[in-house]
Amino acid sequence: MSESFRVGTRGSALARTQTGWAAQKLAGISGLDVETVLVKTEGDVVTGSLATLGGTGVFAAALRQHLLDAGCDLAVHSLKDLPTAQPEGLVLAAIPAREDVRDALCSRDSLGLDQLPHGAKIGTGSPRRAAQLLAYRSDFEIVDIRGNVPTRLGRVKGVGKTLDDGSVGRSTQGDLDAVILAAAGMRRLGLEDHITEYLDPSIMLPAPGQGALALETRSAGSGHQALDAALSQFDDAHTRMQVEAERALLSTLEAGCAAPIGALAHIDGDDLVLEAVACNPDGSETMRRSARIACSTTDAAQQLGRSLAQSMIADGAAVVAGLA
């Protein structure tokens, strides 16, 4: 019998798609077979606002515990959903090359952000997205929504019936003018035809880590030497530096993944450039800053994030974002 590794995933269509993609890549590199283990998380079954549940970290806790308990050898997460504090006993063994980092507008009648009518109802469960939308157009009515990607997409008028993957939030459908979703998730699910407009980061900075996957193992390794070697090969150095800077900024601001904070890093020649925004939840005030550093290590990337965050704190970012 050939050797196989077990990969843990949530049951949503997006989680299974992302996990399947990563697992097959690793199977190809390592020569191992793969077994998928479904794990139900609190975020999949509890209703209510994500912000009041503690943010998107609720999706990761059960999966991480399953990994610690050796119920699987590897877990695949959306990095933007992970709290910045790394649990003892676990390590992010690989962060593959990033997908599209942008947020996407999915609207009725293919209307762009500027074409939506006065008072348009836009759905999002993210305080970061809500605040930046209101900063751009204060007339929008933001509707707090839950559910997996197909469920949220189904809230848009005219979209019609969407895949029911057991998500919370399906009791209401077709009631909104638009929703905001991560472009990466839409593309991974093959739903990019529903995207009306990719929102430029000058309008909406993404969440720290958005568009990146995090492949997590126990600190001692996966239990499979070939898989550990494959994970090292699968890691993308540029993506890791970018997200390390973004997440260090978020951590230094002492903000969770549900906070109205956006951050995006990119490589410019030999430099790493980091942009960040802190928003009042009602969009009435924003603080946008950027910094750059010659960077070739993750330690330097983390220092860039910490430094920019400290500068923003000195200028009152915590007060602006309601964190103080």
Side-chain angles (χ1 to χ4, degrees):
M1 181 181 294
S2 59
E3 184 180 355
S4 64
F5 66 91
R6 298 163 299 160
V7 57
T9 180
R10 292 172 54 216
S12 74
L14 179 58
R16 286 185 286 109
T17 298
Q18 292 178 161
T19 298
W21 174 82
Q24 289 305 313
K25 291 286 188 182
L26 290 169
I29 297 170
S30 67
L32 302 177
D33 291 335
V34 59
E35 174 189 345
T36 300
V37 178
L38 292 180
V39 179
K40 184 164 283 190
T41 74
E42 181 185 11
D44 294 316
V45 297
V46 178
T47 60
S49 167
L50 272 182
T52 60
L53 287 174
T56 48
V58 296
F59 294 122
L63 198 51
R64 283 177 149 173
Q65 189 59 53
H66 206 67
L67 182 59
L68 282 168
D69 292 341
C72 57
D73 305 312
L74 169 72
V76 179
H77 310 277
S78 291
L79 183 56
K80 70 179 179 61
D81 293 345
L82 289 185
T84 54
Q86 187 64 23
E88 185 176 352
L90 297 178
V91 62
L92 299 185
I95 300 175
R98 209 172 195 175
E99 241 286 6
D100 196 315
V101 301
R102 294 172 293 180
D103 288 295
L105 175 74
C106 305
S107 67
R108 64 172 177 87
D109 304 321
S110 299
L111 296 174
L113 196 62
D114 292 332
Q115 298 169 319
L116 286 165
H118 184 89
K121 292 183 178 181
I122 303 182
T124 178
S126 161
R128 172 191 60 83
R129 289 171 177 154
Q132 291 186 89
L133 279 172
L134 291 170
Y136 186 73
R137 274 187 57 178
S138 60
D139 63 286
F140 285 149
E141 179 183 343
I142 305 300
V143 179
D144 186 49
I145 62 173
R146 286 287 313 280
N148 297 329
V149 171
T151 294
R152 286 180 282 163
L153 187 60
R155 297 289 297 266
V156 179
K157 296 173 185 176
V159 166
K161 189 175 181 179
T162 58
L163 173 70
D164 184 355
D165 61 356
S167 172
V168 299
R170 291 192 66 87
S171 58
T172 304
Q173 297 278 273
D175 61 318
L176 302 176
D177 295 298
V179 295
I180 307 293
L181 299 167
M186 296 289 287
R187 290 164 61 93
R188 287 175 179 138
L189 285 171
L191 296 173
E192 57 265 45
D193 287 350
H194 290 284
I195 296 175
T196 306
E197 181 178 347
Y198 291 90
L199 299 181
D200 191 275
S202 64
I203 296 172
M204 185 173 291
L205 272 181
Q210 186 160 311
L213 298 181
L215 280 56
E216 193 168 44
T217 64
R218 291 176 292 278
S219 300
S222 67
H224 303 275
Q225 188 174 359
L227 177 59
D228 292 337
L231 285 162
S232 179
Q233 184 177 334
F234 201 34
D235 190 63
D236 184 78
H238 281 180
T239 297
R240 186 176 282 271
M241 281 199 297
Q242 292 164 14
V243 300
E244 290 284 4
E246 295 162 12
R247 286 168 58 80
L249 176 132
L250 188 66
S251 176
T252 304
L253 287 172
E254 297 183 354
C257 44
I261 303 294
L264 179 62
H266 70 273
I267 307 291
D268 181 18
D270 293 330
D271 289 354
L272 182 65
V273 182
L274 177 61
E275 298 177 78
V277 66
C279 310
N280 188 292
D282 66 7
S284 60
E285 186 178 3
T286 63
M287 176 188 295
R288 195 173 181 118
R289 299 285 189 273
S290 66
R292 65 193 299 146
I293 188 173
C295 182
S296 59
T297 67
T298 55
D299 286 345
Q302 291 171 353
Q303 181 53 43
L304 174 63
R306 288 191 292 267
S307 177
L308 181 55
Q310 289 161 356
S311 172
M312 293 177 71
I313 290 169
D315 289 342
V319 175
V320 170
L323 303 174

